[in-house]
Amino acid sequence: MSMIEYIISFIVHIDQHLVEIIRDFGNWTYGILFAIVFVETGLVIFPFLPGDSLLFAAGTFAAIGSLSLPTLLLVFFFAAVIGDSLNYEIGKKVGTTIRPGTLIGKMINQEKMNKAEAFFNKHGGKTIVIARFMPFIRTFIPFVAGASRMKYSYFLMYNIVGAALWVGSCTLLGYFFGNIPIVKENFSTVLIVIIFLSVIPAFVGFIKSRKSTTS
């Protein structure tokens, strides 16, 4: 199985993989969960790792006593805050020096940095909070924030708020609803729906940007 196939399998069947992780690693499971969320939010080249679905699935295991809900919330919260802070620092240090010919360079150039800075100045910290609920985008935004020299204290405040809302909502949704029979029996489908709903804002934003550039 290729890495991409394994990642897709991990996302779609994350409940099954979590069973294996909890069984094989015990309390080290919290470290593994921390690492996944940290890498997904902290490294701009790994936006495809599971985020929303992982939090939701972990919440369901907390509901049946396999994991501690307070510990999960703390682990996910600190992973998300520290991950975004690292991503910000990486963007601040290398964002303006990326060569145009590279893959990241094609995604991020000076023109986009200028637009991002203008967007941040216009819309403020809500950009950081909203991005938390958007797969791929949540990995990209902190990098752009750092590269566009957003003030760190300003970024950190909204980073904390966004992380608290994201971790709290996704994990508690899994905790309270993940073990309802109809949800449990169709867990993979529910995770796909969660992922689909979370990318809608990004898709709508892309359509609006396309319309604005063509009009």
Side-chain angles (χ1 to χ4, degrees):
M1 181 182 292
S2 69
M3 179 61 70
I4 294 177
E5 290 174 334
Y6 179 79
I7 291 171
I8 293 173
S9 172
F10 189 89
I11 294 173
V12 175
H13 304 292
I14 199 167
D15 55 325
Q16 300 172 22
H17 289 284
L18 268 180
V19 169
E20 298 169 359
I21 291 173
I22 294 170
R23 181 195 64 210
D24 295 339
F25 296 98
N27 287 333
W28 285 103
T29 298
Y30 297 109
I32 295 171
L33 296 179
F34 179 97
I36 294 173
V37 173
F38 172 77
V39 171
E40 193 248 359
T41 57
L43 301 179
V44 74
I45 60 174
F46 289 105
F48 46 78
L49 292 176
D52 311 285
S53 56
L54 177 65
L55 270 59
F56 184 88
T60 68
F61 283 93
I64 61 175
S66 297
L67 295 169
S68 165
L69 180 63
T71 304
L72 267 184
L73 292 173
L74 285 174
V75 165
F76 284 145
F77 173 76
F78 282 110
V81 171
I82 297 171
D84 261 25
S85 294
L86 172 64
N87 207 340
Y88 170 94
E89 290 298 330
I90 293 173
K92 185 176 180 179
K93 290 188 182 335
V94 306
T96 57
T97 60
I98 294 175
R99 290 177 295 178
T102 63
L103 177 61
I104 297 179
K106 292 178 181 178
M107 299 170 57
I108 307 172
N109 54 43
Q110 192 57 51
E111 181 183 358
K112 290 183 179 179
M113 293 300 174
N114 294 336
K115 288 182 179 179
E117 187 171 8
F119 184 83
F120 287 135
N121 291 335
K122 179 179 180 180
H123 297 284
K126 69 179 182 180
T127 306
I128 308 300
V129 176
I130 294 171
R132 281 288 185 188
F133 297 87
M134 302 163 67
F136 292 92
I137 300 298
R138 69 169 154 262
T139 305
F140 183 74
I141 286 296
F143 183 90
V144 175
S148 61
R149 296 300 192 270
M150 173 185 278
K151 189 176 180 181
Y152 180 71
S153 59
Y154 183 76
F155 170 82
L156 180 61
M157 178 176 64
Y158 287 99
N159 177 16
I160 291 172
V161 172
L165 291 175
W166 179 56
V167 168
S169 60
C170 291
T171 307
L172 291 176
L173 278 173
Y175 183 82
F176 289 113
F177 299 106
N179 288 295
I180 294 175
I182 190 171
V183 175
K184 194 171 183 179
E185 293 168 6
N186 301 278
F187 201 80
S188 296
T189 302
V190 171
L191 293 180
I192 292 173
V193 171
I194 290 173
I195 296 170
F196 174 76
L197 292 176
S198 60
V199 301
I200 287 178
F203 180 74
V204 172
F206 173 76
I207 296 298
K208 287 183 178 180
S209 64
R210 293 283 292 180
K211 287 183 178 180
S212 63
T213 54
T214 55
S215 59

